Amino acid sequence: MMRITVDAASVAELRRVIVSTCGDLMIYMRVKPVDHASKMKFWLCLSKSSIDAVIGNIMRALPQAEFGRITPLLPA
C-alpha cells in the first residue's frame, strides 16, 4: 500500500501515470480530498514489483507529488 498526495488539479495526470505504469498490477486505488479539496490523497494497492516504476514515473510527471509511507498488506 502506497500513499501519495497531489494538488487537486493533478488528479487526472496521476491516474494516467498509475494506469499506464502498472495497469493490471494495481489491485485498487482509493482517492480522498484533503485540505478543503485543494489536495487529493491516493492510496494505491499494487504489487511490490511495480512500486519502483510507479514512483519513478510519478516523480517525472508530477515532481510536486508527496509520497507517504509504503506498507505491506497483511495476508487475509
Side-chain angles (χ1 to χ4, degrees), residues 4-18 40 42 54-67:
I4 305 165
T5 304
V6 296
D7 293 329
S10 300
V11 169
E13 179 65 9
L14 180 57
R15 284 182 191 221
R16 186 197 62 75
V17 171
I18 292 167
M40 300 293 272
F42 280 70
V54 169
I55 290 174
N57 288 345
I58 291 170
M59 288 174 65
R60 278 189 288 286
L62 298 164
Q64 74 279 12
E66 300 169 23
F67 292 88

Side-chain angles (χ1 to χ4, degrees), residues 18-34:
I18 292 167
V19 171
S20 68
T21 302
C22 59
D24 294 343
L25 300 175
M26 183 176 52
I27 299 166
Y28 75 86
M29 174 175 26
R30 177 181 169 210
V31 182
K32 177 184 173 188
V34 293

Side-chain angles (χ1 to χ4, degrees), residues 33-61:
V34 293
D35 294 342
H36 304 290
S38 66
K39 293 192 179 249
M40 300 293 272
K41 186 173 282 192
F42 280 70
W43 286 265
L44 298 176
C45 184
L46 42 91
S47 70
K48 187 176 181 178
S49 62
S50 61
I51 290 175
D52 289 338
V54 169
I55 290 174
N57 288 345
I58 291 170
M59 288 174 65
R60 278 189 288 286

